[in-house]
C-alpha cells in the first residue's frame, strides 16, 4: 500500500499530493512545522510538540488551522491510513495560498496544512545507537547569508507586514551597531545632509541588488559619486533625500522613516532624477 498524505482537508495518495505554487510556505518559508515520533502508532511527547506548534504559529500570527482536538484526530487518522506503528509524523502549517506579496494577505486566507507519515526501522536505529555517531562543527550562520536570494523570507515577511501596519511600504533592517542594512525587498539609500549619495556596502550581510549596481553606473555617468558608508536612521532623518531600489520598486523616493519626514517630506530632486535615468537605462538595455 502506498503512502497517504493529508493536504488541506483531504487524504490523497502521497505520490499525487500537491500544494499550490502560491502557497506561502513555498514562496516565503512563511510556515512552521512539527514532527512527532510514533511508538506503537501513538504520538510521543505529544504535549510538548503541540505546545511548541501553537507557540510557533502564535509568534508569526498564523491561526491554529483547527482545534488541538481536531488536529489530534487528523494526525491519528493519517497514522492509521498509513498503517505505520514505528515512525514519524510530519506536520506543516503555512500562512496559506495568496498572490505573491511579502506582507500577510490583505484578505485573510485559511492556513494550509500538510501531514505526512513515514516508517522508521527501529532495529536499524537501535543498531546505530549502539555504535554511536560522529558530528562535525560548522559556523553559526542561521541566517547570516542575506547575500543569497533565497526564498527563506520569513523575517522579510514579518518586517514588511510591520511596515504595512504602520502605513509604510518598506521596512529597513537595522543591524546590531545601529546601521541600516537594506530593506525587506529593496536596497536603502540616502542623500545625506552634505549632499552625498550613500548606500550600504556589499561586504555587509545584504543582497547585492542588481538595480543598486546599475544605478551606480548611472550615477557615475552623471559624474556623481556614491559613498558606500553605513548610515543610521538618525542620518536618514537628517538627510536631504532617501530612496529604495529594487526590480519591483525601481528607484522609489522615500519621504518618511519611522513616521518622521526625510528632507521636506516629499520626493527629492535627485531621487526623482535617478528614477528617470534608471528607467531610461533599463529600457535601453532590456533584451
Ligand atoms: N534586498 C532584498 C532583501 C530584496 O529582496 C531585493 C529584491 O527583491 C533587493 C534588495 C533589490 O534587489 P534587485 O535590485 O536585484 O531587485
Amino acid at each position: 500500500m502506498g503512502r497517504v498524505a493529508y493536504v488541506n482537508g483531504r487524504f490523497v495518495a502521497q505520490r499525487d499530493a500537491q500544494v499550490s505554487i502560491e502557497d506561502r510556505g513555498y514562496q516565503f518559508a512563511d510556515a512552521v512545522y512539527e514532527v512527532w515520533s510514533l511508538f506503537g502508532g501513538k504520538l510521543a511527547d505529544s504535549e510538548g510538540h503541540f505546545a511548541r506548534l501553537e507557540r510557533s504559529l502564535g509568534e508569526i500570527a498564523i491561526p491554529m488551522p483547527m482545534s488541538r482536538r481536531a488536529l489530534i484526530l487528523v494526525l491519528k487518522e493519517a497514522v492509521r491510513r498509513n498503517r505505520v506503528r514505528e515512525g514519524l509524523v510530519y506536520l506543516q502549517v503555512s500562512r496559506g495560498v495568496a498572490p505573491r506579496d511579502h506582507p500577510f494577505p490583505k484578505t485573510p486566507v485559511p492556513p494550509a496544512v500538510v501531514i505526512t507519515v513515514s516508517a522508521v526501522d527501529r532495529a536499524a536505529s537501535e543498531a546505530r545507537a549502539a555504535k554511536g555517531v560522529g558530528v562535525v562543527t560548522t559556523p553559526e550562520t542561521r541566517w547570516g547569508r542575506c547575500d543569497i536570494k533565497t526564498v527563506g523570507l520569513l523575517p522579510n515577511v514579518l518586517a514588511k507586514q510591520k511596515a504595512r501596519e504602520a502605513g509604510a511600504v518598506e521596512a529597513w533592517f537595522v543591524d546590531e551597531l545601529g546601521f541600516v542594512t537594506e530593506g525587506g525587498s529593496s536596497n536603502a539609500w540616502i542623500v545625506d545632509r552634505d549632499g552625498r549619495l550613500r548606500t550600504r556596502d556589499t561586504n555587509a550581510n545584504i543582497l547585492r541588488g542588481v538595480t543598486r549596481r546599475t544605478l551606480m553606473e548611472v550615477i557615475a555617468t552623471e559624474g556623481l559619486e556614491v559613498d558606500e558608508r553605513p548610515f543610521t536612521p538618525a542620518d536618514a532623518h537628517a538627510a536631504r533625500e532617501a530612496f529604495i531600489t529594487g526590480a519591483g520598486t525601481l528607484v522609489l523616493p522615500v519621504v518618511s522613516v519611522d513616521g518622521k519626514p526625510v528632507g521636506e517630506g516629499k520626493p527629492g530632486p535627485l531621487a526623482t532624477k535617478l528614477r528617470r535615468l534608471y528607467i531610461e537605462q533599463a529600457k535601453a538595455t532590456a533584451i
Side-chain angles (χ1 to χ4, degrees), residues 35-119:
V35 179
W36 289 259
S37 199
L38 277 178
F39 287 95
K42 292 185 172 170
L43 300 166
D45 262 335
S46 70
E47 173 57 36
H49 289 288
F50 281 111
R52 188 172 61 191
L53 172 69
E54 287 162 2
R55 181 176 181 281
S56 298
L57 288 168
E59 288 295 305
I60 61 170
I62 297 179
M64 266 286 268
M66 60 190 92
S67 69
R68 197 194 272 208
R69 238 175 108 95
L71 189 54
I72 291 172
L73 290 177
V74 177
L75 291 169
K76 285 186 177 289
E77 181 60 14
V79 172
R80 195 189 66 77
R81 290 191 186 222
N82 281 281
R83 296 172 212 243
V84 171
R85 308 283 298 162
E86 305 298 315
L88 293 170
V89 178
Y90 174 86
L91 164 73
Q92 182 176 133
V93 182
S94 86
R95 196 175 307 279
V97 176
R100 189 181 183 280
D101 187 22
H102 286 67
F104 304 169
K106 273 193 181 135
T107 314
V109 291
V113 182
V114 169
I115 298 167
T116 55
V117 181
S118 55

Side-chain angles (χ1 to χ4, degrees), residues 149 156 182-187 207 209-212 245-247:
K149 200 165 168 65
N156 310 51
E182 64 177 324
S185 62
S186 61
N187 290 106
L207 191 72
V210 174
T211 316
R212 175 189 180 283
T245 56

